Amino acid sequence: MISKFTDIGVPEAVAKAMDDMGWEEPTPIQVNSVPLGLQKRDMFGQAQTGTGKTGAYGSIILGTIDAGNKVPRAIVLAPTRELATQVSEEMNKLSKYSGHVAVPIYGGASIEGQIKKLQEGCDIIAGTPGRVRDMITRGALNLSEITTVVLDEADRMLDMGFIEDIEFILKAMPAERHTMLFSATMQENVKQLAFDYMRNPKEVSVSQDEVVLDLTKQYYISVGRRNKSWALCRILDIDEPKAIIFCQTKKMVEILEERLKELKYKVEAIHGDMPQVKREKVIRDFKEDRVDILIATDVAARGLDIDDISYVINYDMPDDIDTYIHRIGRTGRAGKEGTAVSFVTSAEEYLVREFQMRTGMDIEKREVPDAEPGTKDTIRRVVDYDQICDVYGMCRFEINLGKKDGIKKVSLADLIIKNARVRDVSIGKIEIGDESSIVEVHKDFGNRMTMDLTKARYNGKRIQVRVIQERPPI
């Protein structure tokens, strides 16, 4: 195993640590970047989370700086506290036989404790831009000996408004240095940052089809907002996965966490406003299997590196491809198969087509798994009129009155208006059959059709109403 890494120039001590960590062979980003980096070539690499970036620049750093320094020789800037912590942990694992020491620096934790660790001496810093800048301003962090700097997830750092902090930090270290930038996307502002602060950088790109998603089965389930919890509980009950569930907003994370805890699932949540100590405990509990399900926002989960996640569930569908790939990259890691399931409303199905077209990946439609015979659903399925209506908001109902009952279109419409309290403008097309009729009614009156109309009678006959769940063809 070691030889596969030493063949691309990884130092033997680092390759031995990789072997202990269970790494089997270099990933494409490692194959393409490590030889260049060991030559101290500036580079910007385009690679998604989960492609082995940390192992790539970690190998380069450990292969180009000595161990046992009093002040750091290398620094990695990362967008979030979680990623800075994980980079530090990974670097220390890779340093098992080389003796290098990495220290994390981030906000939301004791600055005195971090200053003490710096005073004890270290070789590598992994930090967030805001806290690193604060440390420099206080005179607690000396960057005068820095020879290597890495900007990890540069696109996310720029999106989060860290550009001024990044530029301040880069100007606080020697101009003669080795600079590497890694980003999931190559937006113009990322390219500009690369060319402003790097010397003739070499571009290293891992194409979308090389992203480490080969072991991840991708599905989507067509389900409306009102039935997402029902579909989610079916999956949790039947497949019993270790899962990360992604929501778009902090509010939705909190609502879903409360709902699942009431149903006795082993679940915790992380979001950006949570105290750092609490966030770290939640992630630790998830890693150590005291928690089965982690609910998160994108920012809070950025850079999470946990190898045994079997499911990623997009409770809320992301609206851009980069976020989608980042999310599903949390599973199917370290040689293990994973599953990514997205809950997609009828209004969002165009996103599935767009993501498939842009990546060439297959996202297969899947039905909600069937419950075991004789078992009850944890959450009951309800009629979601938003999901079954047409583009004009009209839903179809079958009523057990037809030509044999002597009913006609006008009299059926009058019956609905009077007994279900539906406005006449909210009734659409009516088709009278022999024994039953199909009526279009606006979704806002769906419950009145099934609850109020069924209390009425026509010529002594009890009225029955069935919601037609299938959406009409466009």
Side-chain angles (χ1 to χ4, degrees):
M1 298 298 181
I2 292 176
S3 64
K4 292 184 178 180
F5 289 95
T6 55
D7 285 348
I8 63 170
V10 175
E12 187 170 337
V14 179
K16 188 177 178 184
M18 291 174 170
D19 191 44
D20 288 354
M21 293 162 70
W23 295 12
E24 295 185 356
E25 59 183 355
T27 65
I29 191 65
Q30 292 165 1
V31 170
N32 289 308
S33 65
V34 170
L36 284 170
L38 292 172
Q39 297 171 22
K40 297 195 174 182
R41 283 287 306 271
D42 283 4
M43 72 176 80
F44 60 89
Q46 181 174 7
Q48 306 292 340
T49 301
T51 54
K53 287 182 300 172
T54 310
Y57 64 69
S59 301
I60 295 166
I61 290 172
L62 299 178
T64 54
I65 69 168
D66 294 328
N69 296 288
K70 186 65 178 174
V71 295
R73 294 292 194 272
I75 184 168
V76 180
L77 293 179
T80 66
R81 295 170 281 195
E82 284 76 23
L83 185 55
T85 301
Q86 289 177 21
V87 167
S88 176
E89 290 174 351
E90 190 99 324
M91 294 296 292
N92 283 321
K93 288 178 183 176
L94 292 171
S95 303
K96 182 177 179 179
Y97 300 106
S98 67
H100 293 82
V101 175
V103 169
I105 292 178
Y106 50 82
S110 167
I111 196 166
E112 291 78 13
Q114 293 177 359
I115 290 174
K116 184 180 179 182
K117 287 188 176 180
L118 288 176
Q119 291 172 342
E120 292 171 355
C122 66
D123 306 296
I124 305 150
I125 295 293
T128 53
R131 177 53 65 92
V132 169
R133 179 174 182 170
D134 187 17
M135 289 283 206
I136 295 169
T137 304
R138 289 168 179 256
L141 178 58
N142 179 3
L143 300 185
S144 64
E145 302 291 325
I146 291 291
T147 60
T148 304
V149 59
V150 176
L151 305 179
D152 194 1
E153 302 206 1
D155 52 347
R156 182 62 61 159
M157 287 197 287
L158 295 181
D159 289 344
M160 294 170 70
F162 285 133
I163 182 63
E164 290 185 6
D165 292 335
I166 292 169
E167 291 181 334
F168 178 91
I169 294 164
L170 292 174
K171 290 173 182 175
M173 62 183 71
E176 289 295 317
R177 63 175 183 263
H178 179 205
T179 306
M180 294 175 283
L181 179 153
F182 290 87
S183 176
T185 61
M186 277 298 160
Q187 305 160 7
E188 283 305 312
N189 56 352
V190 175
K191 290 181 179 178
Q192 192 62 51
L193 181 67
F195 287 112
D196 284 349
Y197 291 95
M198 301 170 84
R199 296 167 300 178
N200 190 26
K202 177 75 174 176
E203 182 174 356
V204 178
S205 180
V206 176
S207 64
Q208 295 282 16
D209 59 356
E210 288 180 302
V211 174
V212 185
L213 297 176
D214 293 342
L215 295 173
T216 302
K217 289 285 188 183
Q218 299 175 57
Y219 303 98
Y220 78 95
I221 293 175
S222 181
V223 62
R225 177 181 55 83
R226 298 185 67 214
N227 280 314
K228 284 184 179 182
S229 294
W230 162 74
L232 175 63
C233 289
R234 272 276 185 92
I235 290 172
L236 298 181
D237 291 344
I238 294 170
D239 296 338
E240 299 182 346
K242 179 165 186 175
I244 293 185
I245 302 171
F246 283 100
C247 300
Q248 289 288 72
T249 65
K250 183 191 77 169
K251 184 67 175 174
M252 192 64 237
V253 165
E254 292 173 339
I255 290 171
L256 189 57
E257 178 192 20
E258 182 179 352
R259 187 177 297 163
L260 292 182
K261 279 186 172 178
E262 287 176 353
L263 297 169
K264 308 303 181 187
Y265 291 101
K266 291 166 62 179
V267 58
E268 291 291 347
I270 55 169
H271 53 70
D273 294 341
M274 184 179 289
Q276 180 63 18
V277 173
K278 168 77 173 187
R279 286 156 65 110
E280 290 176 353
K281 182 181 184 305
V282 168
I283 293 171
R284 188 166 59 251
D285 287 348
F286 186 58
K287 282 184 175 181
E288 295 174 2
D289 295 329
R290 286 187 289 272
V291 169
D292 297 327
I293 304 156
L294 184 65
I295 310 171
T297 56
D298 292 306
V299 171
R302 190 72 177 185
L304 272 180
D305 191 9
I306 303 169
D307 288 340
D308 60 345
I309 295 168
S310 58
Y311 260 72
V312 165
I313 300 172
N314 290 314
Y315 192 84
D316 296 322
M317 185 69 166
D319 56 10
D320 67 275
I321 187 66
D322 293 324
T323 301
Y324 177 78
I325 291 176
H326 157 67
R327 288 183 180 184
I328 69 174
R330 303 302 93 212
T331 187
R333 299 164 74 94
K336 299 176 182 177
E337 293 186 351
T339 301
V341 178
S342 300
F343 293 163
V344 179
T345 67
S346 56
E348 294 170 332
E349 289 190 7
Y350 77 95
L351 288 169
V352 176
R353 296 190 293 271
E354 180 182 326
F355 291 176
Q356 289 186 116
M357 181 181 66
R358 290 183 58 185
T359 65
M361 298 184 294
D362 183 39
I363 307 175
E364 182 183 332
K365 187 171 184 178
R366 172 182 171 182
E367 298 301 322
V368 177
D370 291 329
E372 293 292 328
T375 60
K376 289 185 177 181
D377 276 334
T378 302
I379 291 179
R380 186 170 58 88
R381 185 182 186 183
V382 298
V383 177
D384 191 332
Y385 296 109
D386 287 329
Q387 185 73 0
I388 63 174
C389 68
D390 65 14
V391 293
Y392 304 106
M394 303 300 283
C395 299
R396 295 183 299 161
F397 300 83
E398 183 180 22
I399 301 173
N400 65 332
L401 296 175
K403 294 175 183 176
K404 290 183 178 180
D405 300 292
I407 195 134
K408 296 185 178 180
K409 290 183 180 181
V410 173
S411 55
L412 181 54
D414 288 342
L415 183 74
I416 293 170
I417 291 168
K418 178 182 177 182
N419 292 280
R421 295 171 292 127
V422 176
R423 294 179 300 177
D424 57 352
V425 294
S426 296
I427 299 176
K429 186 177 179 182
I430 297 176
E431 298 176 9
I432 304 292
D434 289 336
E435 297 183 352
S436 65
S437 301
I438 306 295
V439 182
E440 291 182 344
V441 176
H442 194 272
K443 63 182 182 179
D444 291 348
F445 299 95
N447 286 335
R448 294 185 185 179
M449 288 292 291
T450 58
M451 298 176 69
D452 294 347
L453 187 58
T454 53
K455 296 174 184 177
R457 292 179 181 271
Y458 182 78
N459 291 338
K461 183 176 181 179
R462 183 89 180 247
I463 296 175
Q464 297 176 356
V465 178
R466 181 180 71 88
V467 182
I468 298 175
Q469 297 279 0
E470 300 79 21
R471 273 185 292 150
I474 297 173

